[in-house]
Amino acid sequence: MKKLLLAALLTTLFTAPAHAGFDEGMAAYQKNNFPLALKEFTPLAEQGHAKAQISLALMYSRGQGVPKDESIAADWLRKAAEQGDSTAQLLLGMKYTTGNGVIRDATQGTKWYLKAAEQGVANAQLQLAFIYFDLGTPQDDTQAANWFHKAAEQGNPTAQSMLGLIYGQGRGVTENTVIAYALLNLNAANIDSRDTRLRNLIEENMTPKQIEAAKLLTTELAKPNNLNKAIEAYLKNPA
């Protein structure tokens, strides 16, 4: 998860709108010229440039051109998050839930995940779903299902798998083996995968007609931005 988030963060920074100084900083960062990157990012960050603030947070978190300091990294993330930057909100949420550079605070973690999730960040939606699913106090299966749905719609494979699990268990949604099978089938790439094993267990209690319907539903779920529409359509006309 951390590697995926880092890749997403770097992609976000590299594709940020052009800004004098920031582009030079990113070019220097890509060449591992961290002193020059620091020189370019710092004045921009102090002026309130959110992407420069995130860039400094990354450098302090990794000890690139500066002593490694997760507390300073968190401070820069907070400045960007308070401006509404969804990437910073996600990363700040992670810091609060893990206690990395800040005092561990589940309430603060949930707060920042929610802000990022409401802006459509799939990883934030996923983290929020897990909090409601089995980490929160109290648990809220309906909210968990809601956020798993949103992240799954964006193609997040973990969210799709978890959505299959909750449809199989009837947690936060009405139990439906066809939908559960179809969701798990999306990521059942090999016979040893967890999704394949769960799908096969569900299949043992399905009729041939239901299995065929589930396979057809998998095709619909796999279409871009069609997952929730396909589920809704199936529920209106189930097998």
Side-chain angles (χ1 to χ4, degrees), residues 28-51:
Y29 184 89
Q30 287 179 284
K31 294 176 182 177
N32 292 330
N33 188 344
F34 301 128
L36 179 56
L38 183 67
K39 179 181 177 182
E40 297 290 351
F41 289 146
T42 300
L44 291 174
E46 290 173 344
Q47 293 167 24
H49 188 290
K51 296 305 180 188

Side-chain angles (χ1 to χ4, degrees), residues 59-224:
M59 293 179 71
Y60 275 102
S61 182
R62 304 179 78 180
Q64 295 173 320
V66 292
K68 182 179 174 66
D69 192 320
E70 294 290 358
S71 178
I72 295 177
D75 288 341
W76 282 117
L77 284 177
R78 186 176 296 102
K79 292 178 186 297
E82 288 174 347
Q83 293 189 68
D85 187 284
S86 60
T87 300
Q89 290 168 345
L90 167 63
L91 295 175
L92 189 57
M94 291 181 66
K95 283 193 169 294
Y96 274 111
T97 54
T98 60
N100 185 16
V102 296
I103 297 174
R104 189 171 183 176
D105 188 326
T107 300
Q108 283 292 314
T110 301
K111 166 190 168 181
W112 291 110
Y113 281 145
L114 178 59
K115 288 180 180 294
E118 288 176 338
Q119 293 196 64
V121 178
N123 279 321
Q125 293 168 343
L126 178 65
Q127 295 303 317
L128 197 58
F130 274 122
I131 288 172
Y132 284 120
F133 185 71
D134 61 5
L135 300 176
T137 306
Q139 294 179 347
D140 189 328
D141 289 344
T142 301
Q143 282 286 359
N146 173 54
W147 290 110
F148 279 134
H149 265 284
K150 291 181 183 296
E153 175 77 4
Q154 296 193 64
N156 186 288
T158 301
Q160 291 169 349
S161 297
M162 289 302 301
L163 200 55
L165 178 65
I166 66 175
Y167 269 104
Q169 296 178 337
R171 286 187 60 176
V173 294
T174 301
E175 183 178 348
N176 191 299
T177 55
V178 171
I179 295 175
Y181 180 107
L183 286 162
L184 292 169
N185 201 37
L186 281 172
N187 299 302
N190 60 73
I191 60 173
D192 294 323
S193 74
R194 185 196 69 167
D195 286 357
T196 301
R197 294 195 296 272
L198 290 173
R199 181 201 63 188
N200 292 343
L201 284 172
I202 291 172
E203 184 176 353
E204 293 176 1
N205 296 309
M206 295 172 68
T207 66
K209 181 180 179 182
Q210 288 176 319
I211 294 171
E212 182 61 27
K215 290 178 178 179
L216 291 173
L217 181 56
T218 298
T219 301
E220 293 301 312
L221 296 178
K223 294 178 180 178

